[in-house]
Amino acid sequence: MSSKATQQPLSLRIAIYAFIGIWLMMAAFPFLWTLWGSFKVELDFFSITNWKDALFGPRTEATYGSSLTGAGYEGAWIQEEFWRAVLNTFIVCFFVVCTSLTIGTLGGYALSRSGFKYTFWLLIIALIFRAMPPITLVSGYLLPFFEWNLWGILPTSIIVLVAINQPFTLWMLHSFFQKIPKELDESAKVDGCTQFQAFRHVIIPVMWPGVITTGLFSFLLAYNDFAVTAMLLSKENQTMVPKIASFLGTTQTEGNVMFAVAAVVSATVPLFILVMFFQRQIVSGLTAGAVKG
């Protein structure tokens, strides 16, 4: 009787499930619509006269003999060599994440265990630096990169993205380290570990969900960046987001919108897979950072 008494009313449960269903449909609709439209021609997907053309694709069928076509993907990946931008993106993301996490874990751990008063001011300076618009920081790098003939190559964007991203990783990892009791370090030292051994063998395994969460956010910053990579990379070394923007064309060059649509879908799918794969670690890391130990 007590379980039935505490059970939610049927109408409330229906309302909750209906709200969740509507919310999921609204959240997923933009991606699903873009995914469907990537297999159409531009006149169908962006039809002004009849929105049903995007569903049934009459012009797509008239052109290719089918209501669905992979011409957008073929044009983006093969004709425009979008695979080069994908490769460049993952190279940049890999080195940005590795460098940011290495410096962030060591710096965050040192600051969390430091008893000096300047620790607070270092974190405040890092926060101010992170709050500045990235475009204002990029301009400061342009002159030395031009003078040293370093403009246009991938290491330039990696250096700048690490500099922009480092305050965020430092703050986030510092908050995670503060939740770990200092008694763990002391116990490891009693057992004969040095400070670095205690950090490596005792603290990092406890911190692993927080490291993965911070690494994912660092990856997303580098993956989705436009301002830095658009200004610092040459056309041959473009990453995905500037490459997608180039598909839209300019007043001087004609673009292909369907190449951009297909490229957007191609760039979104890896993010979806990545988040789904690390969802448990992300939730665990965010929870660990939010709950005081």
Side-chain angles (χ1 to χ4, degrees), residues 149-189:
N149 199 26
L150 295 176
W151 182 89
I153 58 177
L154 295 180
T156 59
S157 62
I158 293 173
I159 292 172
V160 177
L161 287 173
V162 168
I164 294 174
N165 189 40
Q166 201 58 66
F168 168 78
T169 57
L170 191 64
W171 260 92
M172 195 165 185
L173 289 169
H174 172 265
S175 65
F176 282 123
F177 280 121
Q178 281 191 319
K179 311 302 178 184
I180 300 177
K182 295 182 180 180
E183 287 76 11
L184 287 178
D185 305 64
E186 298 171 356
S187 299
K189 290 180 181 179

Side-chain angles (χ1 to χ4, degrees), residues 8-24:
Q8 293 178 339
L10 179 60
S11 58
L12 179 59
R13 282 185 292 163
I14 293 175
I16 292 175
Y17 292 142
F19 173 79
I20 294 175
I22 295 173
W23 182 84
L24 289 175

